[in-house]
Amino acid sequence: MEADVNYKLVKEITDKVEKKAKEQKVLDSFTPAEQILSILYSVLVEYVGTSEKLDLRGGNNFIILVGLQGNGKTTTAAKLGYYLKNKMHYNPILVPFDFKRPASFEQLIQLGKTNNIPYLDLRNETNIEKALSKIEPYMEQNNFNVAIIDTAGRKEIDASLMEELKLINDYFDKKETLMVMDVTIGQTALDIVKGFKEYLDITGGIFTKFDSSAKGGSVLSFRYVTGSPVKFVGTGEKIQDFEVFDGDALISRLVGRGDLKGLFEKAQEAISLEESEKITKDFESGKFDLNDLKVQLESILKMGGISKVFSMLPNFGNVKIPKEYADEKALRRMIAIINAMTKEERAHPEIINASRKERIARGTHVSKAEVNQLLKNFENFKKLSKNLKNLDLSRFKF
Ligand code: GDP
Ligand code: MG
C-alpha cells in the first residue's frame, strides 16, 4: 500500500502469497524473510507482467496515445517518435490531434523540429473524420510507416472526450492504442483506467515520470483493468529519457529491495535440491511409496529432465541415462496414472489387483499394460533402495 498499489489488489496479492507460503516447505538455506520475498516475487510477476514489444508490422502502423491532460502524452509522442526513428529504424511521423487546444499542436511540432522527427500539421482541418482520412495517404506519399497520434486529454474523464477518442480508435484497423499515465497518479489510477477501457481497446501502457519517487503501484492497476502490458516508461523531461518497461526492475522498486528475481531463482533451486535430498533419504531408508514416486516424477518435470535430477543426487552422479527417460509426455502419463489411484493404493501398491488396475487404466485412458509397467518400474525403484551404487537404469522402461 505504501507503493500506491490499490488496496483491493494488495488484499488479493497478500492472499496469494499466504496461500503459496503455506504450500511451500520451509527451506533450511533461507531466512523466512527471504523465502517470503521470493514467494512475493513469484506472485508479483503475474501482476506486473514482462516487457512486450510494440505490435508493428509491415505496411502502415498507427499508434494512438490517449490519457488525461498533463500526464505526458505530447512529450511521450515525441520520445516514442525519436526512439522508433533512431533506435528501431522506422520512419515515424508525429500527428498532433488535439483540436481543442491549438497550443498542443505547437508543442508537438516544436518537439518534432528540435529533434528532427517529421510531423503532419492538420490543424486547419475542421472535421475529425476528414482529418483522419488525410493521415494514411500522406504516409503513403512520403514513405512513413508509423503514425504517432497525440490525442486530446482532459483533466478528468468526460463523455464527449471519450466519444472523440473512440472515433479515432475505431477508425484504424491495425493499431496500438496506448494509454499514457503519470506514475505518480497513485490510488486513483484504477478508476481512470476503467474509464478509458470502457470506450477503447487499450493494447498497452506507457508510464511517465518514473524519475519521480513514486514506487509504481499504478502500473498494477493498469495491468489489472486492461490485462495489457506496459511497454515503455518515461524517465525524465528530455527526449531520450525513455526506456522499454522492465518488470523485474519495477518489482524491486515496489518492494524496495534489489534483485528479487535472483533471490527467487535461488529459492527454486533450493526447493529442488531439498526435494531430491528427501527422496535420497527415503530411498536409503527403504521407505518409498507411489506418493514419493509421484513427487519425484513431478520434480523431474519441473527441473527440466531426468539427467539434471540425477546429477543433483550425490549417489547417482555417474549413472548413464538413456535418452527416452527425458520424454516429458511419458513422465506426464506416469503422473496421471498415479493420480488415478486412491490414497490407499498409493501408500500400499501391493493391494492393486487386476480389477483395480482396470479401473486405473480406464480413468487415465491408458492400457492396462501401461499401468503394469508403471508398477514394475516402481518395484525396481524400491529394490534399488538397498543398492543405490549399482543403479542400472536400463532395467526401467517408460
Ligand atoms: P499531456 O498534457 O498529456 O500532453 O502532457 P505533456 O506531454 O504536455 O507533459 C506534461 C508535463 O510532464 C511536461 O512538463 C513534461 O515535461 C512532463 N513530463 C512528461 N513525461 C515526463 C517524464 O517522464 N518525467 C518527467 N520528470 N516529466 C515528464
Ligand atoms: Mg498534450
Side-chain angles (χ1 to χ4, degrees), residues 69-70 72-75 98 101 104 107 150-151:
Q69 194 175 312
K73 273 188 312 302
T74 305
T75 315
D98 179 356
R101 286 171 55 241
S104 80
Q107 188 192 349
D150 178 28
T151 65

